[in-house]
Amino acid sequence: MAYFSEFRDPVNSKIILDNIHKITTKNWMIMEICGGQTHAIKRYGIDQLLPENIELVHGPGCPVCVTPLEQIDKALEIASLPNVIFTSYGDMLRVPGSSKDLFLVRSTGADIRVVYSPLDALQLAQDNPTKEVVFFAIGFETTAPANAMAVYQAKKLGIKNFSILVSHVRVPPAIKAILSSESNRVQGFLAAGHVCAVMGYWEYLPIAKDYNIPIAVTGFEPLDLLKGIHSCINLLETGQYEVSNEYSRIVSEKGNVHAQKTLGEVFQVCDRKWRGIGMIPESGWMLNSDYTDFDAEQRFDVSSITVPEPEICISGEILQGLKKPPECPAFRKLCSPENPLGATMVSSEGACSAYYRYTQE
Amino acid sequence: MCLAVPGKIIEIFEKNNMQMCKIDFGGSVREACLDLVPEAKIGDYTLIHVGFAMSIISEKEAQITLDMIKEISDQELDDN
Ligand code: SF4
């Protein structure tokens, strides 16, 4: 018994969907945090099946999209250096920096390799002792423990030619930033199940209370998303500001304690800039003082690079749920997945690319 | 990169001082690190994220969720 198909079962989904229609009496706006949720919602047409008075808006949970321009420019600078093997998850290669992307730099001869796991990058460092191997460590709480583990291993094994360019971000401070904004219209959240699988949902309990907002932890199958929406609407309609766990086969309140311990061993919380949004206090991780030797920014002296954001792209407002992709004048015209202007179009997890792929003109 | 994929642990072994496993993703088999879920056993379903098992899928909890849906469905029938 694997419990996969049951969560795609149309009969089960219809039961929940009918109940959502039954319990919804008012207008509600719910934000799904994660790009993976956005894609599943668009792919299965879930937003079209909901009562008209429920509006789903798309949150900032796509790590490719929120990686700031200057981090990409730093990656480009390091990757261009002789003697460097620059490694990254495939999604980052086409993300435009201020003038080029990693693909373009690779075509001019730089040694840039796509890896599936940070452990592959570590292996490359062991196999190429005369080269500097750098890994682009981006992502939310989901990828951070794996990247922390790679650095931990590098230190333990004494691998000196390995370093990481860190651009890790954390979800809870971003939720607080969205809720604190004067223009906020979000009334409930669907928290991202995979982030909560790692971190648990204990960090969300005080947010729900302090901001009077229900938060439902959901997975990514249609039934998971519908259960999350159902629970969120139920809490809103009954005026309860709580966290409900609708992904209990994977998520517990305390999360994966081993992963959290590994994070704490290697990283410390820091302020971080989000592409399109700007600086959010305590919203990132950086290597702590025991691991600064593995910090690529210091090793290659690129930490002073800063870049202003381009003006045409409204992805910042999209990431905060203030606007939707079709409201961007460039959407489908100047901007497409083949020719992306902003990161929300580049990444397959971005809201602009989800709209491009799954909605009609 | 961001989405985790569920798979079944079919073999556990050690490499480079790390606990590793072979995972079957419905036919295709890949290696993953088990150090973040040391309690995992052969036969468990886990979520794999960038080469690391991140959590074990609880069949008991999955069944509870499905039972709850059945309850909603039965209630609807009673109401009608
Ligand atoms: S359509 Fe393109 S330019 Fe417009 S917000 Fe999305 S990524 Fe930016």
Side-chain angles (χ1 to χ4, degrees):
Chain A
M1 196 56 182
Y3 294 106
F4 300 132
S5 56
E6 293 89 337
F7 290 88
R8 287 188 183 164
D9 176 42
V11 177
N12 281 341
S13 299
K14 176 94 173 43
I15 293 168
I16 301 296
L17 191 61
D18 287 349
N19 208 259
I20 293 174
H21 279 267
K22 196 168 145 188
I23 63 172
T24 309
T25 65
K26 301 193 186 78
N27 292 338
W28 300 113
M29 181 181 275
I30 298 175
M31 174 180 273
E32 82 273 359
I33 297 284
C34 161
Q37 292 169 315
T38 304
H39 262 257
I41 286 166
K42 285 280 154 202
R43 179 165 165 210
Y44 298 110
I46 290 175
D47 50 343
Q48 304 300 315
L49 301 171
L50 294 174
E52 268 181 13
N53 38 0
I54 300 179
E55 189 180 348
L56 295 179
V57 288
H58 322 300
C62 160
V64 177
C65 306
V66 303
T67 299
L69 213 45
E70 55 213 34
Q71 259 355 65
I72 295 167
D73 279 10
K74 286 174 198 171
L76 296 168
E77 173 112 8
I78 295 171
S80 311
L81 293 171
N83 211 38
V84 163
I85 301 175
F86 192 86
T87 58
S88 167
Y89 299 125
D91 327 37
M92 289 310 284
L93 260 59
R94 285 184 57 237
V95 180
S98 54
S99 65
K100 47 194 174 185
D101 59 30
L102 285 165
F103 255 129
L104 199 76
V105 174
R106 184 160 78 174
S107 70
T108 61
D111 192 348
I112 297 173
R113 305 188 195 181
V114 170
V115 290
Y116 159 71
S117 163
L119 292 181
D120 300 341
L122 193 60
Q123 187 65 50
L124 272 174
Q126 284 174 290
D127 296 345
N128 297 274
T130 60
K131 299 265 187 184
E132 281 288 337
V133 175
V134 184
F135 177 66
F136 201 174
I138 71 148
F140 281 91
E141 290 94 329
T142 43
T143 52
N147 298 347
M149 191 56 122
V151 177
Y152 177 78
Q153 279 291 324
K155 187 169 180 177
K156 209 165 90 180
L157 300 172
I159 302 172
K160 298 253 185 312
N161 61 327
F162 177 74
S163 59
I164 63 174
L165 175 61
V166 189
S167 192
H168 278 304
V169 276
R170 302 170 59 229
V171 169
I175 294 185
K176 287 192 212 167
I178 289 166
L179 291 173
S180 306
S181 154
E182 271 177 26
S183 36
N184 171 53
R185 298 181 299 148
V186 177
Q187 294 162 295
F189 280 100
L190 304 182
H194 296 158
V195 166
C196 297
V198 176
M199 300 306 293
Y201 56 86
W202 52 272
E203 288 175 288
Y204 298 78
L205 300 171
I207 298 178
K209 287 274 166 292
D210 293 351
Y211 293 89
N212 287 348
I213 189 133
I215 302 174
V217 180
T218 85
F220 301 82
E221 299 297 346
L223 188 57
D224 291 319
L225 287 159
L226 285 166
K227 279 213 73 213
I229 294 165
H230 179 263
S231 166
C232 205
I233 295 293
N234 188 33
L235 292 171
L236 282 166
E237 290 278 350
T238 52
Q240 299 178 73
Y241 308 119
E242 286 171 15
V243 180
S244 76
N245 180 9
E246 302 302 322
Y247 202 32
S248 58
R249 68 187 185 281
I250 299 214
V251 172
S252 65
E253 180 175 336
K254 62 180 187 340
N256 181 336
V257 285
H258 299 285
Q260 291 169 41
K261 211 173 133 223
T262 307
L263 279 170
E265 160 72 24
V266 174
F267 290 133
Q268 71 184 58
V269 169
C270 65
D271 298 346
R272 197 166 283 290
K273 207 166 153 185
W274 295 48
R275 189 170 191 163
I277 300 179
M279 189 65 88
I280 303 179
E282 299 189 347
S283 68
W285 274 302
M286 58 187 259
L287 289 164
N288 67 28
S289 53
D290 292 340
Y291 289 87
T292 37
D293 285 353
F294 296 92
D295 186 351
E297 286 199 32
Q298 297 194 16
R299 193 175 293 192
F300 301 98
D301 197 19
V302 292
S303 35
S304 58
I305 295 177
T306 55
V307 192
E309 303 264 348
E311 269 170 31
I312 21 164
C313 176
I314 62 159
S315 61
E317 285 158 283
I318 292 170
L319 294 171
Q320 293 170 83
L322 303 174
K323 286 199 174 149
K324 293 205 169 166
E327 290 173 61
C328 171
F331 181 71
R332 278 191 204 279
K333 298 187 181 85
L334 294 170
C335 186
S336 66
E338 292 70 42
N339 188 14
L341 295 181
T344 39
M345 187 62 96
V346 173
S347 163
S348 60
E349 288 155 26
C352 292
S353 109
Y355 268 77
Y356 191 94
R357 277 212 267 172
Y358 301 118
T359 58
Q360 302 298 317
E361 253 170 87
Chain B
M1 165 257 308
C2 206
L3 275 189
V5 196
K8 186 178 182 176
I9 301 177
I10 53 172
E11 195 185 316
I12 296 179
F13 59 99
E14 228 187 82
K15 191 166 112 185
N16 260 347
N17 254 331
M18 296 180 107
Q19 191 83 335
M20 302 292 290
C21 65
K22 285 200 171 143
I23 302 274
D24 180 359
F25 297 106
S28 73
V29 175
R30 283 195 112 146
E31 279 186 15
C33 176
L34 271 186
D35 273 6
L36 298 175
V37 280
E39 68 277 24
K41 308 179 298 298
I42 289 175
D44 283 348
Y45 284 89
T46 70
L47 270 193
I48 304 294
H49 217 115
V50 296
F52 284 78
M54 251 348 146
S55 53
I56 300 171
I57 302 173
S58 158
E59 301 191 14
K60 194 176 125 224
E61 286 293 338
Q63 193 55 53
I64 293 174
T65 304
L66 294 170
D67 289 346
M68 267 160 53
I69 293 166
K70 184 150 188 316
E71 251 171 60
I72 295 180
S73 158
D74 292 346
Q75 215 176 341
E76 291 285 311
L77 287 176
D78 287 351
D79 287 357
N80 291 334

